[in-house]
Amino acid sequence: MRLRQKITNLLRYFAISFKDESFLNAISKIENIVSKILAIALIFVIFIALFDLLKLLTIDLFITDPKGVFTAPLLKIFGMFLNVLIALELMENVTAYLRQHVIQLELVIITALTAVARKIVIFDSKTEGDLTGLAIAVLSLSISYWIVRSQNQSHKH
């Protein structure tokens, strides 16, 4: 008899859990946990990228050549700076999601524009198609940003 009661209670629990509101609450909690794990992982990535950048600058400026001249290509250094900035923007995306539980498209587009800008800054021309692709990406992202920004501004007024 007790086993039958436990099975009935378990089935009742599952039936309640799969109602729309309960199920959506569970999904929301899972999204929240995953977002927090992503934020913690991004913190590690940011500090590792920052450490790599500082190590490169320290070795380059003070150990390799004490005159303060860069031995590493400036494009590599700029690329590392932009890597840290992109990681910070990704962190902003995750924290904005944790605050409002909405993906903010404007932030995502800005992050993508920064990533493409990084690619342009460290660009090493192999073929003309690469530059054309980057130009199309910048144009597309810029137009997308303008559309999203103007829509957001019109909803605020």
Side-chain angles (χ1 to χ4, degrees), residues 1 6 16-17 25 38 40 52 56 60-61 63-64 69 80 87 90 96 118 120 128 144 148 153:
M1 189 70 165
K6 286 183 179 184
I16 291 170
S17 295
N25 284 337
L38 280 174
I40 291 168
D52 283 346
L56 177 74
D60 223 25
L61 290 175
I63 296 173
T64 306
V69 178
M80 292 177 80
L90 286 171
R118 177 198 173 277
I120 291 170
E128 288 184 25
S144 299
V148 170
Q153 300 247 330

Side-chain angles (χ1 to χ4, degrees), residues 79-150:
M80 292 177 80
F81 267 103
L82 288 170
N83 282 343
V84 174
L85 287 175
I86 291 167
L88 287 171
E89 287 185 23
L90 286 171
M91 176 64 81
E92 181 65 27
N93 285 324
V94 172
T95 54
Y97 178 80
L98 283 169
R99 277 188 218 108
Q100 300 173 349
H101 297 286
V102 178
I103 295 175
Q104 295 186 358
L105 190 55
E106 192 173 327
L107 279 176
V108 172
I109 294 171
I110 290 171
T111 304
L113 270 169
T114 305
V116 173
R118 177 198 173 277
K119 200 73 170 160
I120 291 170
V121 166
I122 64 169
F123 185 71
D124 185 17
S125 172
K126 300 286 188 238
T127 63
E128 288 184 25
D130 292 341
L131 189 57
T132 305
L134 288 174
I136 291 169
V138 168
L139 181 63
S140 301
L141 287 168
S142 299
I143 292 169
S144 299
Y145 179 75
W146 177 74
I147 292 169
V148 170
R149 179 115 176 141
S150 49

Side-chain angles (χ1 to χ4, degrees), residues 39 41-51 83-84 86-89 91:
L42 270 170
I43 289 170
F44 285 119
V45 169
I46 289 168
F47 280 116
I48 290 169
L50 187 61
F51 175 76
N83 282 343
V84 174
I86 291 167
L88 287 171
E89 287 185 23
M91 176 64 81

Side-chain angles (χ1 to χ4, degrees), residues 12-72:
R12 210 175 281 142
Y13 172 75
F14 280 127
I16 291 170
S17 295
F18 281 102
K19 287 187 177 178
D20 286 349
E21 190 173 320
S22 298
F23 187 75
L24 290 175
N25 284 337
I27 294 294
S28 178
K29 287 177 185 178
I30 292 170
E31 286 177 347
N32 205 6
I33 291 168
V34 169
S35 297
K36 288 175 182 177
I37 291 170
L38 280 174
I40 291 168
L42 270 170
I43 289 170
F44 285 119
V45 169
I46 289 168
F47 280 116
I48 290 169
L50 187 61
F51 175 76
D52 283 346
L53 174 63
L54 293 175
K55 182 175 76 172
L56 177 74
L57 288 175
T58 303
I59 290 171
D60 223 25
L61 290 175
F62 301 115
I63 296 173
T64 306
D65 192 0
K67 297 176 188 165
V69 178
F70 290 115
T71 56

